[in-house]
Structure formats: C-alpha cells, structure tokens
C-alpha cells in the first residue's frame, strides 16, 4: 500500500520586518505568486512542482488569522507519495519554499515533517549496527585478551540492576548500558600507563640531558587502547576514528531525540557508518593478531572500568597517587612490585607501615580488585566514595607522616624528656614541640611504633629495631646504647 508523506509549514511575516509581503500578500493566491516569482517552482491548481517536471505534489495554502494585527501567517501543507525519486524531488520543492520565505523576510516554522520520520527510520538500523559492532569489538577484546572477569559494576546505579536481573549475569550486559558517546572511550580514550609524577621527578633530578632515556620518556605519553593494541594490525588513527564517532553521535542525537532529520543528515550518517563499520569489522577480523602482555592486562581492565564510571575513575586516580607514595616510602627496602598484597606485606615487614595501615591497604586492594574483576559482587556508589576518602586519608598520612619517621621522632622526644616518660607525656611533648602534621590517628601510630620497636612486646616479632623498653604501666624508656 502506498504511503503519503506530509509536511506542514507556518510562514510568518511581520509588518515591520517584512512590510512589502505584509502589505501585498492578503490572500493565499498572493502567497503562491510570491513563492513562484523566482521561477524555480510553479503552482497548477492545488498542486506544486518544478517547471517541466513530470512530478507534482498536492499543496494547500491557507491564510491564518492571528490576534496580532502586525503579523500575517500562511499555513502551507505539501504531500507526496513514498517513491524514492518522488520523495527526493518533493524535498527539493520544500527547500525552495523555505528559501523563498526567508528571502522575503519571513520566518518558516515546521509544524509537521513526515520526511524527518522517513529518514529517521532509515538512519536507525545504520546507527544500530555500528553501535553494536563497537560493543562486540570491546567485549571480544576484553573477554579474549584480558580475561572473563574483566569489569565490575563500575557505575553501580546503572549497571548493578541490569546484572542482577540477568540470570546468567553476562558480562556483555554491562556494555549495553554504556552511553553511545562513552562507548568509544573504552578503546579510544587516551590514558597514562605510568604515573606522570615519575616523569617530572626524573626531569627535575636530571643533571645531564644525555643521561635521559628518550624511549623511557616517550613511554609516559598517554595512549589509547586502540593505539596500543590495534594500530599495528589496523590502518586507522584513533584520533580519526574518534572524530567520526563524535560526528555520528551528534547525528544520532537528532534521530534519538525526535529532531528534524533531513536527507543530508541521512546521507552523512550513511557515509560515516560505512567508514566506521569497515574499520570495526577489520578489527574483529584481525583480533587474533592483537597481543596484550600479562603486565598490561591489569592496566587495560582498570582503564576500561574507569571509562564506565566517573566515581571509579576518581578512585583509580587516587589509587595511583597512593601507589606513588608507597613506592617513595619503600625506596630500596623492598623489590616487590606492583603494589599488591606481597608489596604491602613487605612494607610492613620492613617496618615502613604499621599494622593498622597494612590492614587498610589490604582492604582497599581487595576492594579495587573486586571492582575491576568480580562482576558478581554488589558494590554501590557509597562504598566507592568511602574508599576514595580512605585512600586520600592514607596518602595524606603517608606523605606527611611516614611511620618510619615516627620511630626517630619518639627517640628524640624521649631524649628531650630525660630518656624516660609516660605515653601521656610523649603525646603532650609532640603536640607542643613537633612540627609534624598529624592525622586523626597519630597517637595510635605512636603507640604502635613504640611496641613495634621494643623487644618487651609481642609486636616486636613482626620486625623492628629494639629502641625502647617497657618500664611500667604506660611508661617507656630508651634502650641503652650498647643494646641498640
């Protein structure tokens, strides 16, 4: 069955800005003469078309009364069939009508546009295919190159409900909740694989430019997952793809939000999706040649999860800051990297962190691992925000008050107090005389360091230097020099 397509315009002419039209066009026939004056279109009874064309279209023009005496309005309704050639020519007629109204000083408001619906319907399958090719590539890349448990519910309010509803808890379900514009971030957003602070430190301490390693410096340049893993097998720059993806996003918004979609929009969407589909399909065909090293897998999973959630992205940044502080704290005391359970245990064994800090670090490490790798866990935004706060607090404490310095601080305090004092006297002296910044748990850190560095306590067995001796309830003294 043939389907008609109807477009309705309201042409508005103001007495002040379009005085000639307002004065001369007092009936529908006058407005027809105005539209056909340029000779590009002609009216034949209730139909309009191009001169010498065998296509013509039903057209009605009605003058509309308005409550304002200084405006004149014409309601234009043009209708055509559903043949492609007919639609194209009618679209050209409509474009000419809009141009003539604008040239005459009027305003053309679109009241109804079946052509927009026609082109939107044709655009949707193209966008749908491209979008889901991207989801397929990301899922295939992550599942086969990084591992099955590749991402957690990084934006819990959005993803948690979806995964909970899925009986099989498929990991790919998460991807189908990612906004179109952010989907490309998973492969094309650039990120640092090394803390940029390390580079600044190297540059600041270098005394000879020739001692700097160019390849090492370049390794700090932010790169996308596409550039890292696909650029060697697919000839397509990540910046080019991202530009095309963003352009498609703008056009997709017109389709999705019921804006007016023109033939030129449809042609542009057809062109862009064709280019992107070709690149995505080549990437899928060549994914067997993509290599992700064991040491890169954690970084890739972390980056993808961060791209899914602003909350988790903040936690990732704070975690990197904590890693930097812990690395500075460790110096050469331990060789266990990266920051994991083994590294944290080594810090504790070397006396560089106390028991409470060790437990906090282990809990945050466990939480981070669950967030990235365990999609079956139920982690909400409040938990993420709490961990962000805890990481920030640890960074502040460790950066300004490393526990290894507290031991020396307590030695100095006891020397100033005559070699022996109560805990309360130690606290008071530190509060009055110490310039060290103190966190809310600084007294607990003092007590721990005394116990850790005294052979009179059980804590000493975890590793310490025998600096202090217990001389009574809540009272401590320095060991004699020959014992220390």
């Amino acid at each position: 069955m043939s389907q008609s397509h109807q477009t309705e315009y309201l042409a508005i002419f103001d007495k002040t800005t379009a005085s000639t039209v307002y004065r001369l066009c007092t009936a529908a026939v006058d407005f027809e003469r105005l539209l056909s004056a340029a000779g590009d279109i002609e009216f034949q009874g209730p139909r309009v078309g191009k001169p010498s064309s065998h296509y013509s279209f039903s057209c009605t023009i009605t003058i509309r009364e308005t409550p304002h005496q200084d405006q004149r309005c014409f309601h234009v309704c043009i209708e055509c069939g559903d043949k492609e050639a007919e639609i194209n020519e009618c679209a050209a007629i409509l474009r000419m009508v809009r141009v003539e109204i604008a040239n005459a000083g009027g305003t053309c408001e679109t009241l109804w546009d079946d052509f927009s619906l026609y082109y939107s319907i044709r655009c949707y399958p193209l966008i749908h295919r491209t979008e889901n090719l991207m989801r397929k590539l990301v899922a295939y890349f992550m599942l086969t190159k990084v591992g099955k448990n590749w991402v957690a519910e990084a934006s819990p309010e959005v993803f948690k409900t979806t995964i909970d509803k899925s009986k099989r808890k498929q990991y790919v379900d998460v991807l189908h909740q990612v906004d179109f514009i952010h989907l490309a971030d998973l492969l094309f957003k650039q990120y640092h694989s090394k803390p940029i602070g390390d580079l600044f430190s190297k540059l600041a301490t270098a005394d000879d430019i020739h001692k700097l390693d160019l390849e090492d410096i370049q390794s700090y340049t932010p790169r996308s997952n596409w550039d890292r893993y696909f650029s060697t097998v697919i000839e397509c720059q990540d910046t080019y793809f991202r530009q095309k993806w963003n352009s498609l996003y703008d056009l997709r918004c017109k389709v999705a939000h019921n804006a007016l979609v023109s033939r030129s929009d449809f042609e542009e969407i057809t062109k862009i999706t064709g280019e992107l589909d070709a690149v995505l399909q080549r990437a899928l065909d060549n994914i067997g040649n993509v290599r992700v090293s064991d040491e890169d897998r954690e970084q890739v999973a972390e980056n993808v999860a961060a791209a899914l959630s602003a909350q988790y992205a903040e936690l990732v940044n704070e975690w990197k800051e904590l890693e930097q502080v812990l690395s500075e704290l460790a110096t050469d005391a331990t060789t266990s990297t990266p920051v994991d359970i083994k590294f944290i245990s080594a810090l504790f064994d070397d006396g560089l962190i106390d028991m409470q800090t060790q437990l906090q670090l282990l809990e945050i490490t466990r939480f981070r691992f669950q967030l990235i790798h365990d999609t079956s866990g139920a982690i909400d935004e409040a938990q993420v925000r709490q961990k962000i706060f805890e990481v920030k607090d640890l960074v502040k404490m460790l950066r300004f008050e490393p526990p290894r310095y507290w031991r020396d601080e307590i030695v100095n305090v006891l020397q100033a107090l005559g070699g022996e004092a109560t805990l309360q006297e130690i606290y008071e002296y530190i509060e009055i005389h110490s310039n060290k910044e103190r966190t809310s748990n600084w007294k607990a850190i003092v007590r721990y360091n005394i116990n850790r560095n005294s052979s009179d306590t059980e804590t000493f067995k975890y590793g310490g230097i025998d600096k202090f001796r217990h001389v009574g309830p809540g009272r401590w003294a320095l060991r004699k020099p020959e014992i220390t």
Side-chain angles (χ1 to χ4, degrees), residues 20 31 45 102 130 141 201 204 209 211 218 278 326-327 356 368 388 399 402 421 479:
T20 301
F31 188 59
T130 301
F141 170 66
S201 298
I209 192 171
K211 294 181 179 179
Q218 290 175 334
L326 291 174
S327 297
Q356 180 179 349
R368 172 184 170 276
I388 291 172
R399 175 153 283 163
R479 289 284 182 195

Side-chain angles (χ1 to χ4, degrees), residues 363-382:
E363 168 58 23
I364 291 171
T365 302
R366 180 204 62 78
F367 181 86
R368 172 184 170 276
F369 183 87
Q370 181 184 2
L371 202 60
I372 297 178
H373 299 285
D374 184 7
T375 57
S376 63
I379 300 173
D380 60 27
E381 291 182 354

Side-chain angles (χ1 to χ4, degrees), residues 351 354 403-407 410 444-454 465 468:
D354 57 35
R404 62 177 174 177
Y405 295 158
W406 275 109
R407 182 183 61 213
I410 297 166
I445 294 175
V446 169
R447 291 194 301 273
Y448 171 79
N449 274 272
I450 292 175
N451 282 272
R452 177 71 181 272
N453 294 285
S454 172
I465 300 175
F468 313 114

